[in-house]
């Protein structure tokens, strides 16, 4: 092993207490030396993704959040509603480390040649607990960034890129000619748009404001449907009719949108029927709910035929079903196109302490377009 590093590292913890209170705080713990096949990363960039917000905030009511501080920095407390508390029994009393992915410099490495080869390199990793000054991870989990690439450019190299690429795999393996995607002006949506343009996979982007339509059109999107506009359902049916889309990925989750997409697919298919059937078109359709931007119940109405499917989608679970060659091909593409196809946009960079300032917390937890934050734990 080589190099020096501090004996202690600071990290963000999220704790649900027995009294149904969420507590967010910065904690100090001993820095774990890397084992033979491990490396120690000085974390310099970690995005606050929607999935991190779920773990961090645990459905707590931020409207009633309070800020205090101790010797390590700010502390946030907020009440957790009864329903959220009941669903999270397994984490009550356990301080959780947060931050799915991130990037930084390898400052110490185990004795194995694979680990030693990473010493001094900037790497990205989906290691969990990345809102920390230092993080020890397996060398094999690291993606080496090209020489000179800033950590921020590799901070979001896993979660969104591999999910967007997975959508293409699902489409191709299922013989789907086109994809419908919601919350399409998200970082992930913009990546998916770039991938689909490059790979000539027709993509119908569903958004909820005229600004989002402009944003996606400026990036070359052909089909963009704005649910805030009159006649949007008919526009969606038209786009589905043109492309024959039978596959949807919905990040909104709550409300009517997933059901409306299934209904639009069935409407498009029914219009092409030459013979009426009371059982609908028989066209197989599938919408995956892969996010919960809206936490209200999912509503499915009639008019969707009888050959529809609605299910959940989680990238790591899906990746585990693929063979290693396919997974490696996807990761290689991300590494090669990190600053182009898979570039993410961040509105602000904050320190660990800055991430727990109540104003910042309220801003980035809104999950608004273009408002994603990056944490740089090396800023303190
Ligand atoms: N299942 C998986 O494996 C997996 C993996 C990666 C990502 N995801 C999901 O992918 C989604 C996008 O992630 P990201 O990092 O790209 O997000 P992001 O860049 O933070 O963008 C979030 C987008 O969602 C929109 N939005 C927020 N609340 C909404 C609502 N209630 N209805 C409609 N649109 C809403 C925002 O638009 P406004 O400005 O209009 O609010 C914004 O465009 C998230 O839901 C995330 O959880 C899932």
């Amino acid at each position: 092993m080589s190099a020096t590093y501090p004996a202690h590292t600071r990290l963000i913890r999220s704790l649900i207490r027995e009294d149904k209170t969420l507590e967010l705080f910065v904690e100090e713990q001993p820095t774990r030396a890397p084992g033979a096949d491990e490396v120690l990363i000085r974390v310099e960039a970690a995005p606050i993704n929607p999935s991190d917000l779920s773990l961090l905030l645990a459905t707590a009511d931020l409207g009633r959040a309070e800020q205090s501080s101790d010797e390590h920095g700010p502390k946030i407390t907020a009440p957790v509603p009864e329903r959220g508390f009941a669903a999270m029994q397994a984490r009550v009393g356990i301080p959780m480390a947060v931050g799915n992915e991130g990037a930084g410099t390898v400052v110490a490495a185990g004795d194995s040649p694979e680990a030693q080869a990473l010493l001094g390199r900037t790497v990205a990793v989906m290691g969990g607990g990345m809102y920390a000054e230092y993080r020890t991870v397996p060398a094999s989990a690291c993606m080496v960034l090209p020489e000179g690439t800033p950590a921020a450019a590799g901070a979001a190299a896993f979660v969104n890129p591999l999910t967007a690429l997975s959508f293409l795999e699902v489409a191709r393996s299922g013989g789907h000619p086109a994809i419908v995607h919601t919350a399409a002006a998200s970082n992930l949506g913009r990546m998916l748009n770039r991938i689909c343009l490059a790979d000539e996979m027709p993509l119908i982007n569903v958004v909820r404001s005229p600004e989002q339509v402009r944003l996606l059109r400026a990036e070359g999107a052909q089909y963009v449907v704005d649910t805030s506009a009159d006649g949007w359902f008919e526009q969606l049916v038209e786009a589905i009719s043109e492309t024959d889309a039978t596959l949807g990925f919905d990040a909104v989750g709550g409300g009517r949108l997933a059901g409306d997409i299934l209904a639009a697919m069935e409407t498009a298919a029914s219009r092409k029927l030459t013979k009426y059937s009371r059982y609908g078109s028989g066209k197989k359709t599938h919408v995956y709910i892969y996010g919960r931007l809206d936490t209200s119940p999912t509503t499915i109405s009639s008019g969707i035929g009888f050959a529809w499917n609605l299910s959940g989608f989680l990238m790591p679970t899906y990746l585990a079903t693929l063979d290693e060659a396919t997974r490696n091909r996807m990761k290689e593409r991300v590494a090669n196109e990190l600053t182009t196809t898979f570039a993410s946009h961040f509105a602000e960079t904050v320190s660990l302490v800055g991430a727990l300032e109540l104003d910042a917390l309220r801003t980035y937890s809104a999950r608004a377009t273009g408002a994603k934050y990056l944490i740089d734990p090396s800023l303190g």
Side-chain angles (χ1 to χ4, degrees):
M1 202 195 310
S2 21
T4 55
Y5 50 86
H8 289 89
T9 189
R10 293 158 72 240
L11 71 161
I12 288 180
R13 293 279 194 194
S14 167
L15 170 70
I16 301 178
R17 298 190 320 222
E18 280 293 352
D19 66 357
K20 301 187 183 120
T21 301
L22 171 76
E23 221 178 81
L24 305 176
F25 54 97
V26 175
E27 186 183 79
E28 198 169 272
Q29 66 176 34
T31 311
R32 187 167 76 72
D37 296 320
E38 292 181 320
V39 294
L40 178 69
I41 300 171
R42 184 180 63 229
V43 183
E44 288 144 8
I48 307 178
N49 288 324
S51 52
D52 297 312
L53 288 170
S54 305
L55 183 66
L56 186 74
L57 303 180
T59 75
D61 180 357
L62 290 189
R64 291 161 63 203
E66 284 176 15
Q67 180 136 32
S68 57
S69 66
D70 64 15
E71 71 273 24
H72 299 300
K75 189 185 241 186
I76 303 275
T77 49
V80 178
E82 186 62 49
R83 198 154 152 241
F85 185 76
M88 284 178 288
Q89 277 300 310
R91 57 165 288 191
V92 173
I94 303 170
M96 313 286 289
V98 194
N100 257 331
E101 61 182 344
T105 309
V106 174
V107 295
D111 291 334
S112 75
E114 193 191 10
Q116 281 291 314
L118 298 181
L119 203 54
R121 298 300 304 265
T122 306
V123 298
V125 70
M126 189 169 151
M130 296 301 288
Y131 300 164
E133 289 173 312
Y134 291 87
R135 181 84 179 94
T136 308
V137 298
S140 60
C142 294
M143 174 191 287
V144 182
L145 304 186
E147 214 63 76
T149 308
F158 288 86
V159 177
N160 283 343
L162 293 177
T163 305
L165 284 175
S166 293
F167 293 175
L168 269 285
E169 291 297 322
V170 174
R172 290 197 189 105
S173 62
H176 297 279
I179 299 172
V180 179
H181 184 231
T182 71
S186 65
N187 274 283
L188 192 154
R190 294 166 70 185
M191 276 177 206
L192 184 65
N193 181 46
R194 294 190 284 264
I195 298 167
C196 287
L197 287 171
D199 291 15
E200 298 183 350
M201 169 67 74
L203 176 68
I204 302 168
N205 299 278
V206 179
V207 294
R208 64 171 178 175
S209 73
E211 295 74 40
Q212 292 167 348
V213 175
R214 280 194 284 278
L215 189 152
L216 284 163
R217 287 247 187 257
E219 295 181 0
Q222 187 182 357
Y223 300 99
V224 190
V225 175
D226 175 6
T227 58
S228 74
D230 287 343
W232 72 268
F233 183 77
E234 189 51 40
Q235 285 168 27
L236 181 59
V237 173
E238 280 302 316
I240 290 171
S241 233
E242 260 180 56
T243 57
D244 265 335
T246 44
L247 175 66
F249 288 96
D250 175 32
V252 177
R256 295 182 47 124
L257 194 52
D260 283 343
I261 293 168
L262 288 169
M265 287 173 176
E266 174 64 11
T267 306
S270 298
R271 285 184 189 166
K272 291 181 184 169
L273 288 179
T274 50
K275 192 166 166 246
Y276 173 75
S277 162
R278 81 190 78 169
Y279 303 118
S281 70
K283 186 96 162 178
K284 285 191 177 148
T285 56
H286 200 146
V287 171
Y288 290 91
I289 291 183
Y290 79 99
R292 271 280 164 196
L293 292 166
D294 177 341
T295 53
S296 70
T298 308
T299 312
I300 307 287
S301 49
S302 56
I304 59 174
F306 290 92
W308 56 276
N309 251 292
L310 183 67
S311 55
F313 183 92
L314 196 63
M315 177 268 287
T317 312
Y318 176 69
L319 278 193
T321 68
L322 300 176
D323 58 79
E324 204 178 339
T326 307
R327 280 198 299 268
N328 288 340
R329 173 171 52 71
M330 292 162 80
K331 285 181 192 161
E332 246 168 63
R333 181 167 179 187
V334 177
N336 291 336
E337 301 172 30
L338 198 55
T339 55
T340 52
T341 314
F342 300 103
S344 289
H345 172 80
F346 301 105
E348 295 281 347
T349 300
V350 289
S351 62
L352 289 176
V353 164
L356 296 192
E357 293 293 342
L358 199 46
D359 284 348
L361 188 69
R362 287 193 172 126
T363 304
Y364 64 70
S365 65
R367 302 162 173 91
T369 305
K372 187 174 284 199
Y373 274 40
L374 196 62
I375 297 181
D376 178 353
S378 72
L379 295 176

